[in-house]
Amino acid sequence: MRPAATVAAQTPSPAQLQASQAEARRLSDAFVNVAERVSPSVVQIDVTSRDENADQVLRWLGRGGGDSPVARGMGSGVVFTPDGAILTNNHVVDEALTINVHLRDGRFLPARLVGRDPETDLAVVKVDAQGLVAAKFADSDTMRVGEWVVAIGSPFGLGYTVTTGVLSAKGRGGIGMNLIEDYLQTDASINPGNSGGPLCDLEGRVVGINTMIVGRGSGIGFAVPSNMARRAAEQILKSGRVERAWIGVGAQDLTPELAAMIKVDPRAGALINGVQDNSPAKRAQIKPGDVIAAVAARPVHDSHDLTREILAHDVGQTLELEVLREGKRYGTKVTLAARPGRPVPPVPVQQQGVPQPGLGLTVRDLTAQQAAQAGLPAKPLPLITGISPGSAADRAGLKTGDVIIEVDGTSEPTSTQVQQAAADGQLLLRVQRRESAFYAALRK
């Protein structure tokens, strides 16, 4: 049996319990403050894309093809400027036919794609709005591994979901998902739909843009660092594209074996394994076998460091490089050029031109038999047979195959009554979709 004094020493005193509870409340309040501060800047993004299998949903009504079927997806985004620029992931809007944005104040607005950067999986869309709450961005380089972080987004369409965790690692690369990888890693819960939403510090500043996970529920998520995301967004807003600095070398990390052979420390820098002709590095007399140890007086320890430091500067800048060659250290200057790359192809939403006119839905009457087979009153109710991408009907969430059971207060209307009611440019519909009904408001 342990002495009574030992047991007493391990039992928290009332003062210790009170101090512990106060500390827990302070941490809880910090999370609450982040959610309240950042949520007005977070949006849900809904997109439609082509889906050749979508017409199967209409077979229960006996309808064939003829319209262009679409699939729906969603993601998150963060308001970047008060006049409606929103930063998100490229994979959220890639192949999009239409893009619509849910704002925190309840508005549901169509968005246009300003530009995208597949190399980092970033994109900027814009809505017609003023006075939005733009998020503040932190310097991601100053973040420390182990710091608390908060993720906000719309996982599985559940808007404004807040999860917490820590910054698990920095400078993650080699995952093979994007051409340029320099991720922040976190164990804050990130799921499908979080993509494009912010990862924040306890000051409510964006430190990263949530991008992907490794295995659902694994506790391993990745975000594009805020410094990289902010630079890309600013360039897209300015010119519609991203121009990225480049010196024209191939680089790899030094292994202990390689370091021993060339008589340097394994963390001495990035080993150059190739130099492209007519590149800035070639003009700066850099050769395969050199080790770049510093860029603009900032130490470089591996190939990721080298890439990160080059990308942190603008095309046209001249930088001092510190190079190790054959046991000697020397300096050279390199003028950054624009990284060669293929033009970014447009997505369907960029090819559509002007918005669709009218309310954007077509209808035809079901036969009484078809309506009865669908569990509806045996009357010629209007079936929605087409939705124009980007139209008022599309923004209201209507789908091909929905059945209109009420229009402007009139129950069990015909398609002719729907057409007449739409003459003033607006409709209030009650719609049946499978076993459930809902209201939808349409306005030009």
Side-chain angles (χ1 to χ4, degrees):
M1 181 179 294
R2 291 178 294 174
T6 303
V7 175
Q10 293 179 348
T11 303
S13 68
Q16 289 173 321
L17 284 173
Q18 189 174 12
S20 178
Q21 291 167 349
E23 183 62 29
R25 281 194 296 270
R26 281 194 292 271
L27 181 57
S28 177
D29 288 343
F31 293 146
V32 170
N33 290 337
V34 173
E36 291 178 346
R37 188 176 303 172
V38 181
S39 289
S41 304
V42 181
V43 304
Q44 179 177 311
I45 299 176
D46 289 356
V47 301
T48 60
S49 59
R50 301 188 192 282
D51 181 1
E52 297 304 322
N53 295 319
D55 59 342
Q56 294 177 0
V57 77
L58 303 180
R59 292 179 181 172
W60 62 281
L61 289 174
R63 176 182 171 272
D67 295 300
S68 210
V70 297
R72 295 181 183 270
M74 67 185 62
S76 303
V78 59
V79 176
F80 189 68
T81 65
D83 63 348
I86 296 166
L87 180 59
T88 186
N89 283 146
N90 175 62
H91 76 258
V92 171
V93 299
D94 193 20
E95 301 301 326
L97 291 167
T98 65
I99 305 171
N100 293 294
V101 171
H102 292 263
L103 298 179
R104 184 66 164 128
D105 60 13
R107 282 180 289 173
F108 187 46
L109 302 177
R112 64 180 178 87
L113 181 60
V114 180
R116 60 197 189 101
D117 181 33
E119 293 186 353
T120 57
D121 194 21
L122 294 169
V124 174
V125 302
K126 200 168 189 301
V127 296
D128 185 11
Q130 297 291 330
L132 301 185
V133 180
K136 290 182 169 56
F137 280 65
D139 180 355
S140 52
D141 289 346
T142 64
M143 287 292 291
R144 298 172 299 165
V145 172
E147 285 194 64
W148 284 106
V149 289
V150 177
I152 305 178
S154 300
F156 306 108
L158 302 172
Y160 303 98
T161 296
V162 177
T163 57
T164 64
V166 298
L167 182 62
S168 305
K170 298 172 64 176
R172 290 297 195 206
I175 299 170
M177 295 299 293
N178 295 298
L179 187 61
I180 295 175
E181 297 183 334
D182 183 29
Y183 297 116
L184 305 178
Q185 180 184 326
T186 181
D187 66 348
S189 182
I190 296 173
N191 289 288
N194 273 111
S195 293
L199 187 70
C200 305
D201 62 14
L202 291 189
E203 300 297 320
R205 301 172 302 181
V206 177
V207 301
I209 300 298
N210 297 318
T211 297
M212 64 179 176
I213 55 177
V214 176
R216 190 175 299 177
S218 66
I220 300 178
F222 297 98
V224 178
S226 57
N227 288 357
M228 180 182 291
R230 180 168 47 194
R231 288 177 65 86
E234 288 171 349
Q235 289 193 47
I236 289 172
L237 284 175
K238 182 179 179 180
S239 63
R241 63 188 182 89
V242 176
E243 188 178 62
R244 193 161 277 119
W246 172 81
I247 62 172
V249 297
Q252 67 186 80
D253 296 346
L254 283 166
T255 64
E257 294 79 10
L258 285 169
M261 287 286 187
I262 61 178
K263 298 180 175 58
V264 296
D265 186 271
R267 297 280 289 168
L271 175 62
I272 303 304
N273 55 29
V275 179
Q276 294 190 26
D277 291 337
N278 300 317
S279 66
K282 187 79 168 180
R283 291 188 287 273
Q285 306 299 314
I286 294 172
K287 300 178 181 179
D290 287 348
V291 174
I292 296 182
V295 175
R298 290 176 63 93
V300 166
H301 300 296
D302 54 33
S303 58
H304 276 112
D305 282 354
L306 176 60
T307 300
R308 185 183 307 113
E309 294 302 328
I310 295 298
L311 293 178
H313 295 83
D314 295 327
V315 173
Q317 279 189 268
T318 298
L319 304 179
E320 183 81 25
L321 303 183
E322 187 176 309
V323 181
L324 304 177
R325 179 186 295 169
E326 297 176 352
K328 296 181 180 180
R329 188 179 297 263
Y330 73 97
T332 185
K333 290 184 178 181
V334 61
T335 300
L336 304 180
R339 181 186 184 121
R342 297 177 181 176
V344 178
V347 301
V349 71
Q350 292 175 306
Q351 300 171 328
Q352 289 180 0
V354 298
Q356 294 289 335
L359 295 177
L361 78 164
T362 56
V363 297
R364 71 167 175 83
D365 287 335
L366 292 169
T367 65
Q369 182 180 3
Q370 288 172 334
Q373 288 174 346
L376 298 166
K379 296 183 177 182
L381 296 173
L383 168 72
I384 296 178
T385 59
I387 298 291
S388 298
S391 66
D394 185 37
R395 294 194 298 275
L398 297 179
K399 295 182 179 181
T400 305
D402 290 343
V403 178
I404 299 172
I405 56 177
E406 182 181 311
V407 58
D408 290 351
T410 301
S411 299
E412 301 176 358
T414 64
S415 58
T416 299
Q417 288 175 301
V418 173
Q419 184 177 4
Q420 291 170 345
D424 62 355
Q426 59 186 25
L427 288 174
L428 176 61
L429 304 178
R430 191 158 68 96
V431 175
Q432 183 82 28
R433 180 178 297 165
R434 295 185 182 273
E435 290 80 24
S436 61
F438 63 93
Y439 283 96
L442 285 68
R443 189 189 299 272
K444 280 187 182 179

